[in-house]
Amino acid sequence: MTVFTGEQRGAVGGRRSWLVELHGWLTTVDHKRIAVLYIVSGLVFLLVAGTEASLMRLQLARPDQHILPPEVFNRLFTMHGTTMIFLVGMPILLGAANFLVPLMIGARDLAFPRLNAFGYWLFLFGALLLYFSYIGGMGVYGAGSAPDVGWFAYSPLTQKTFSRGHSTDYWILGILISGMGSMLTAINLITTIVTMRCRGMTFMRMPLFCWMMLVTSVLVICAFAPLTAAQIMLLFDRQLGSHFFDPEHAGSSVLWQHLFWFFGHPEVYILILPTFGFISEIVPVFSRKVLFGYPLMVMASMLIGFVSLAVWAHHMFAVGMVAPLNAYFAWASMLIAVPTGIKIFNWIATMYGGQLRFQTPMLFATAFVAMFTIGGLTGVMLAVAPFDLQVTDSYFVVGHFHWVLFSGTLFGIFGAVYYWFPKVTGRMLSERLGRWHFWLILTGFIVTFTPMLMSGFLGMPRRIYTYQTGHGWDVWNLISSLGVLVQIAGMLFFVLNVIVSLAKGRRADGDPWDAWTLEWATSSPPAPYNFAEEPVVASRRPLWDLKHPEDPDTEYE
Amino acid sequence: MGPTRAAIRVIESAMAVPAGSSPPAPVCPPQNTSIFSPATEQAARITEVTWLVIGICLLIFVVVEALLVYAIIRYRRRRDAGPHDPPQVYGSGPIELAWTVVPILIVVVLGLVATRGVFSIDTEHPPPHALPVSVIAHQWWWEFRYPDQGIVTANELVVPLSDPDEPRPIALSLQSADVVHSFWVPRLAGKKDVFPHRINTIWFDPTTAGVYHGQCSEYCGRQHAHMLILVRVLPKPEWEQWVRAQQAPAAEVPSGAAGREIFLSTACVKCHTVRGTPADGTFAPDLTHLQSRTTIAAGTLANTHENLLRWVTDPQQVKPGCNMPAMQLRPDQIEQVVAYLETLH
């Protein structure tokens, strides 16, 4: 259903030399192309980080293994964490926002297209700077070494005394630069959403994904600002001899923890809220029903965003804060379960009474709801501070946040890739390969991360490069490592699917899923200007109104 | 010493411990570190909370997944489904209110549980007659100082069994000499982070004799994995005997004389203390009663003759990155040093 497009894009594409094509990509300020750059970079880094994780699981498959030396293992988990958070989650979600927000609100681009491109290149060069440490990390000491201070880089381990060479400086600068890019993009998104909605699109008629990006962007600004400040302070400590985080000179290592987690916890919601948006778009379309309780969903998102700024110290229950503070952070953290629960229930309610079509996007969305629930519930458990004192910094935490970020963020991303791939490329991904991908990755995920909850209960700390036998950890670690093999198989199907479908996937028309939001009202892929004329909407589902003139949403909202 | 001889020594020491040596033998399996088998009242309270929390969350989990599975099965699109979309339901105030209020009630319950737990752990001070031990975390080993007994030991904390009628808990004050560590012996208590220039405290009341394992649980650098804690809870008479043995200066046995000479004439003394000798370094574990411990290198190896040989020959082979260098001794000197270490009962 191609409603608002003037001309098809076919006439423009085709016989251009690769140099012209490359020049086009490098200089582009088109939000859709920048989105593709973001997402492709993110997926490449996903493969890199996955390889790092696989190596770690290889080492931990059996007790007392010495396949990797300790320093290599420590670099791997530092880089895996840093990469997944900053170089996979952030770019893919910002990329998705880049592509979808203007299309969903009926705009022709983001508010500041050149700033948008600048943000992407900051991200990319920050990422490359971080990975350059593998070659130049030791600086004048000679050999390369990636950072090995953990992704939350607790002081004073990051001070010059304990972290020689320059690998920690690369970590600081890489993240600082890509973080600047994220903040600029967040400002861009907020401006776009607030000022560039098409006629008739009031705030309460925006697709939920746009709401999510609005909340997320505010969080990005609130969270990355203190992180950037803390990183500059740390850089001063290392390079200019200041002592912000150096307890030897009356600095405070606890201050670093507060500043880092003041970023770190909202960051989790920065990574999950956009995927809530994906799910809120996918579930209704594949259930053939309108999203249940839209206003409450919006309110819940804003509440999550707001409260997430005030729960950071639940990462620090073992630090030895006073009891009233610990109690406060326990309460605040648990409170987040309420709006999150509302979302889960509303998605299920959307499915009730529908006609569920289990194509690949819906498979991932359903798995998201089923599995993320476990991530949320283990999170509630961790918020109960006395329990947390046992399992914080154990494998239980590793299991918990993979349940949030893997079956949450990553499943959401996969669902979104399958859902919007036709819109981006004009071709459908293969359903058959998609099913293989889904079932393998789901099985691999469960097999890998369930045992981590168990080994955490059995007292296994995280971030150890090897362990002795006799604790009962061996079997769980072996199962966990075997799960990785299944995941690798799943990812191969995904890569295969993307390559094959790009070349000869079924052609998609403008609206292959029979969906309702504005991005499906233009051609696939959309013309550079998105819409030939500014769309006018009268409800949350403009295409529903067009398809059902006898029963439009406008009468019920 | 010419470069040739130095090279020979390197080769010799490499031969003493063949490259790619077999991994360290397990120290003393099995080692129960489960949070579900608490051995103190302090840990048991957390276990109680854990079961309660698991129970509540499991219940929520079952309800949510059941609703979801029902929806998946019941509302699958049928093959004979017509072209029409199902009736649209935009929301329902009362239903949404229900699943807002019920979670709030659950949160209130869990919040109260957490609050009670937090206050009982953080604000109940140990009785004044508790045994004070000061714990100093180093990269990558633990130092235990008993101020009342004048004992310094490492990696293995030995404490008296507490009589339920007349409890004598153990009160640890935690400090770090370098980076952030975390003290965690799951069967005795929850963990507590260990900071430089900041004293944290933790206490527990050991009412069951036995050996309890734990390890550093805050990432602290290269050998974070090999920073194990072993707590031995001994019946009171045995503990008092242990204290008397520890208070004595180092034994001087003729069989250790040659090794003692080498030990005292090398840089060993800069880092290690052996009371009764000029060795008084404090950067590394006190060796005065090394043989009273069952492990070496912070739980990395069992304390056996072969392992001492490997360790003294080249600690970097056993625990790469640790702060002890290979002292470049001849194999016969190493034998003598180990013979000396084995006299330190």
Side-chain angles (χ1 to χ4, degrees), chain A residues 268-502:
Chain A
V268 178
Y269 292 91
I270 292 168
L271 293 175
I272 201 67
L273 285 175
T275 50
F276 284 176
F278 295 152
I279 305 304
S280 302
E281 300 301 327
I282 294 172
V283 167
V285 168
F286 289 84
S287 305
R288 311 307 305 151
K289 272 184 66 204
V290 67
L291 184 70
F292 189 89
Y294 173 99
L296 191 64
M297 289 293 250
V298 171
M299 261 155 49
S301 312
M302 288 202 279
L303 196 63
I304 291 177
F306 183 72
V307 181
S308 78
L309 288 168
V311 298
W312 74 91
H314 67 215
H315 296 263
M316 300 164 60
F317 284 139
V319 160
M321 296 182 297
V322 293
L325 265 186
N326 281 338
Y328 160 73
F329 280 109
W331 275 96
S333 310
M334 277 183 258
L335 197 61
I336 292 196
V338 176
T340 313
I342 291 174
K343 281 178 170 290
I344 300 265
F345 287 124
N346 277 10
W347 287 322
I348 297 179
T350 307
M351 295 165 79
Y352 265 68
Q355 293 175 5
L356 309 185
R357 299 186 310 197
F358 284 103
Q359 283 142 313
T360 318
M362 185 59 169
L363 287 178
F364 274 108
T366 313
F368 173 100
V369 178
M371 296 288 117
F372 180 77
T373 302
I374 302 178
L377 287 174
T378 46
V380 172
M381 291 169 70
L382 284 167
V384 180
F387 170 66
D388 180 88
L389 289 179
Q390 280 288 19
V391 292
T392 182
D393 274 315
S394 81
Y395 257 86
F396 185 86
V397 171
V398 181
H400 153 71
F401 67 69
H402 280 93
W403 234 291
V404 173
L405 292 177
F406 196 122
S407 66
T409 306
L410 217 48
F411 278 16
I413 286 173
F414 284 138
V417 167
Y418 280 89
Y419 183 57
W420 280 292
F421 191 87
K423 180 52 60 184
V424 178
T425 65
R427 289 179 186 274
M428 307 290 286
L429 280 168
S430 154
E431 271 297 308
R432 203 158 58 88
L433 293 175
R435 274 166 206 278
W436 275 100
H437 171 214
F438 169 75
W439 286 109
L440 284 170
I441 209 85
L442 177 68
T443 313
F445 162 76
I446 294 174
V447 175
T448 305
F449 296 106
T450 316
M452 291 188 180
L453 301 177
M454 300 308 298
S455 50
F457 281 143
L458 295 178
M460 180 169 173
R462 66 195 281 204
R463 296 175 159 184
I464 52 175
Y465 76 96
T466 188
Y467 54 94
Q468 294 173 351
T469 188
H471 297 279
W473 304 342
D474 310 10
V475 60
W476 299 115
N477 277 285
L478 184 62
I479 296 174
S480 181
S481 294
L482 290 176
V484 172
L485 297 177
V486 187
Q487 286 189 44
I488 290 174
M491 283 309 286
L492 288 179
F493 274 101
F494 176 61
V495 173
L496 185 73
N497 198 352
V498 170
I499 293 172
V500 170
S501 302
L502 270 180

Side-chain angles (χ1 to χ4, degrees), chain B residues 200-261:
Chain B
N200 270 341
T201 54
I202 191 170
W203 69 278
F204 54 88
D205 194 17
T207 44
T208 320
V211 179
Y212 302 98
H213 293 263
Q215 74 188 84
C216 174
S217 59
E218 184 64 81
Y219 174 64
C220 57
R222 208 162 160 197
Q223 279 296 344
H224 167 56
H226 284 136
M227 193 168 162
L228 277 52
I229 308 161
L230 198 147
V231 180
R232 269 191 287 156
V233 179
L234 299 181
K236 204 157 180 219
E238 277 176 51
W239 182 76
E240 278 164 356
Q241 207 180 337
W242 176 86
V243 167
R244 279 193 297 279
Q246 293 288 316
Q247 284 167 333
E252 280 198 38
V253 180
S255 66
R260 182 170 185 266
E261 205 56 40

Side-chain angles (χ1 to χ4, degrees), chain A residues 113-141:
Chain A
R114 287 154 67 90
L115 189 71
N116 192 20
F118 184 53
Y120 169 75
W121 294 107
L122 278 182
F123 149 74
L124 186 71
F125 282 105
L128 293 179
L129 197 59
L130 177 67
Y131 268 86
F132 177 72
S133 62
Y134 264 114
I135 304 168
M138 294 301 276
V140 291
Y141 292 85

Side-chain angles (χ1 to χ4, degrees), chain A residues 148 370 390 392 458 471 553, chain B residues 31 33 65 88 90 191 219:
Chain A
D148 60 354
Q390 280 288 19
T392 182
L458 295 178
H471 297 279
D553 269 1
Chain B
Q31 310 157 0
T33 45
E65 302 292 332
Q88 304 293 304
Y90 293 82
K191 62 178 68 69
Y219 174 64

